[in-house]
Amino acid sequence: MPSAASTPLLRITDLEVSYHGTPVLHGIDLTVAEGERVALVGESGSGKSTTAAAVIDLLPAGGAVTRGRIEYRGDDVTHADDKRMRRLRGRQVGLVPQDPMSNLNPATRVGKQIAETLVAHGVASGREARKRAVELMGEAGIPDADKRSKQYPHEFSGGMRQRVLIAIALACEPDLLVADEPTSALDVTVQRRILDHLETLRSRRGTSMLLVTHDLGLAADRADRVVVMQHGRIVEDGPAHELLRDPQHEYTRRLVAAAPSVSTATRTGAVATSDEDPQQDKGLEPILVAEHLTKEYSVRGRRERLTAVDDVSFAVRAGTTTAVVGESGSGKTTVARMVLGLETPTSGEVRVAGEHVATAKGAQRRAIRRAMQPVFQDPYASLNPMFTVEHIVDEPLRVFDVGDRRSRRARVAELLDHVALPRDLAQRHPNELSGGQRQRVAIARALALDPRLVVCDEAVSALDVLVQDQILTLLGDLQRDLGLSYLFITHDLAVVRLVAHDVLVMQQGKVVEAGTVDDVFERPGSDYTRELLAAIPGADVFT
């Protein structure tokens, strides 16, 4: 840890930020010393991302610093001109933003985008910049970096796009890295690889880091100090392990209590563990059966076809949850898309309630659609911003011509009750809701047709710890009350420990381990599974 007497690299004093004249940050005092790692934690809307954006003058339209001071190496940059901030950003302060798709140019190859950063700041040019861009992609954990540098962002998974942003942020080896949820889209092994690389950079060059995260385990493992924010104010600040093991503020205690842990087998309101499973009769017909699923793709620049899913078989027992876990690119989302009928298997088959998904037509296909519904990762992207909540939730009823307008309105009210949302939200639009409320709307829509199976593709990975806890409890309550089955796609093994009965571990398109959640977590038989479990952050704090 740096000396307390040394001049901080970053000093924020009495900072107030307002949007359209309304304050959202209230007197923030924060320092980041040379070589120090500071984590900002708190629920969505607490002000942590706004604080980070203010540091580098990237507040959204309508936002402004209305009081206080931001200093970098003693230089007041609170209201610095564009020329000064352009010199600061990238070369001295690197930024890893949260949303990879909106921060990458869809019309430019990813390697060129990384090289452009090197050229813009005079670090390298020409062939040297292109070569270094490939090296940075490899350091960020992107396989086949030379070939993939010639691809476009849409040809990358969400996790791979995030790695590209990390490569751009590290390109100029900045003195301060501002990382806004830098690994929220990444699985634990890649997360560890990326953060190990950041730690190497920090120790070699004394790089400081301001880390915005909702992952308390990550903060415990990767920060020297944790700063807890609520409603635009700092409510607690202290050494990471000390603060998270013995939180003093009531809000911090709530955050810590909600953090999932691999040592926790279940909790009140969560999905039952396998030994409490009401469907223990193994002879019961599964709601979902996948047999020998294989999916191949043609890839730009490669003669051979890419096998994304390779001979995968599993079943989901009625009333239970099967989790599919693995690294980004392991094939788990492709499996979910084939189950949903959004991708056609190259070979193999999927059956839902005994019906073949790929070949079903007419009434059979409609029956499958009613029996199975999805909940996706990003509720804002999956909800039409032009529609009201009522219109979104009753859309499946209208598509399937269920009931009349009056009965559908009553059904929407009933569904909002199911997901613990006030009925008066029915006339609001998605942009008027919090992230957790939007995900509840997505779940309500999924339940509209009384499905037997819900496919959750990273359904809680974008949520802060308190909202995630609420959504997982909700899913557990719905399973208990409605007898739902879940296919749960996730990279978060701590969440799997809470919600799943059975687990399927995938690596490079293949199943490397399958079994009950207790067997896989307590007696893993695969080296890869053991590596995943060992990479879960915060194990020494949240036990």
Side-chain angles (χ1 to χ4, degrees), residues 195-213:
L195 295 172
D196 284 348
H197 178 63
L198 294 180
E199 181 59 25
T200 299
L201 176 64
R202 188 188 77 85
S203 60
R204 187 175 75 237
R205 301 190 67 253
T207 303
S208 305
M209 182 162 59
L210 182 62
L211 172 66
V212 175
T213 183

Side-chain angles (χ1 to χ4, degrees), residues 70-88:
I70 301 170
E71 299 173 58
Y72 183 78
R73 293 196 181 281
D75 181 15
D76 184 0
V77 296
T78 316
H79 301 289
D81 60 26
D82 288 344
K83 183 178 180 181
R84 172 70 181 99
M85 292 310 298
R86 282 196 299 271
R87 288 201 312 269
L88 183 71

Side-chain angles (χ1 to χ4, degrees), residues 40 71 179 489:
L40 291 178
E71 299 173 58
I489 311 297

Side-chain angles (χ1 to χ4, degrees), residues 147 299-303:
K147 290 181 179 178
V299 179
R300 183 190 304 272
R302 291 177 58 171
R303 179 175 298 177

Side-chain angles (χ1 to χ4, degrees), residues 190-440:
V190 175
Q191 180 184 86
R192 182 171 65 176
R193 192 179 310 139
I194 294 296
L195 295 172
D196 284 348
H197 178 63
L198 294 180
E199 181 59 25
T200 299
L201 176 64
R202 188 188 77 85
S203 60
R204 187 175 75 237
R205 301 190 67 253
T207 303
S208 305
M209 182 162 59
L210 182 62
L211 172 66
V212 175
T213 183
H214 65 260
D215 188 333
L216 297 188
L218 188 65
D221 279 359
R222 301 293 178 167
D224 302 308
R225 187 158 52 90
V226 169
V227 177
V228 183
M229 296 190 67
Q230 183 188 29
H231 304 320
R233 293 181 169 84
I234 293 174
V235 298
E236 193 161 359
D237 180 347
H241 279 217
E242 180 181 316
L243 184 147
L244 294 173
R245 280 182 172 144
D246 186 23
Q248 299 302 302
H249 194 277
E250 174 59 28
Y251 177 69
T252 311
R253 288 197 288 269
R254 285 175 51 212
L255 289 179
V256 171
S261 166
V262 292
S263 65
T264 306
T266 189
R267 62 196 165 126
T268 303
V271 177
T273 53
S274 53
D275 59 353
E276 299 169 329
D277 179 13
Q279 305 289 348
Q280 287 200 43
D281 179 5
K282 302 298 183 178
L284 187 68
E285 179 68 22
I287 182 64
L288 167 67
V289 176
E291 291 183 339
H292 306 294
L293 283 182
T294 297
K295 182 64 181 179
E296 297 176 347
Y297 295 99
S298 297
V299 179
R300 183 190 304 272
R302 291 177 58 171
R303 179 175 298 177
E304 68 276 12
R305 287 165 65 82
L306 171 68
T307 302
V309 176
D310 190 355
D311 194 25
V312 169
S313 298
F314 65 95
V316 178
R317 294 175 289 132
T320 71
T321 299
T322 294
V324 182
V325 301
E327 295 177 287
S328 177
S330 64
K332 58 186 187 295
T333 292
T334 304
V335 166
R337 291 180 63 81
M338 286 191 286
V339 167
L340 288 165
L342 301 175
E343 297 274 4
T344 301
T346 305
S347 62
E349 66 177 18
V350 177
R351 297 192 303 276
V352 173
E355 301 286 353
H356 294 262
V357 172
T359 59
K361 290 182 173 59
Q364 284 183 328
R365 187 161 187 82
R366 287 175 67 83
I368 290 172
R369 292 296 186 201
R370 291 197 66 161
M372 173 176 59
Q373 289 288 305
V375 177
F376 295 111
Q377 177 176 2
D378 183 355
Y380 196 73
S382 65
L383 303 180
N384 192 321
M386 303 299 293
F387 292 164
T388 64
V389 167
E390 181 177 52
H391 191 92
I392 290 166
V393 175
D394 80 357
E395 184 176 24
L397 301 173
R398 286 182 283 107
V399 168
F400 280 83
D401 197 24
V402 176
D404 56 20
R405 185 172 182 179
R406 182 175 180 179
S407 66
R408 287 196 292 267
R409 177 161 288 183
R411 176 62 173 154
V412 169
E414 178 185 346
L415 289 164
L416 293 180
D417 289 343
H418 269 317
V419 299
L421 284 175
R423 293 187 176 190
D424 59 11
L425 258 60
Q427 302 310 314
R428 295 192 190 179
H429 292 79
N431 67 334
E432 300 176 85
L433 308 179
S434 69
Q437 287 174 324
R438 288 195 291 265
Q439 197 63 303
R440 288 172 185 264

Side-chain angles (χ1 to χ4, degrees), residues 39-42 48 181-184 186 188 191 195 211-223 226 244 255 259-260 461 463-465 468 491-492 494 535-538 542:
L40 291 178
V41 303
K48 55 190 189 294
E181 300 284 5
T183 57
S184 61
L186 303 181
V188 289
Q191 180 184 86
L195 295 172
L211 172 66
V212 175
T213 183
H214 65 260
D215 188 333
L216 297 188
L218 188 65
D221 279 359
R222 301 293 178 167
V226 169
L244 294 173
L255 289 179
S461 64
L463 304 177
D464 64 71
V465 64
Q468 175 182 269
H491 64 263
D492 192 332
I536 298 172
F542 301 107

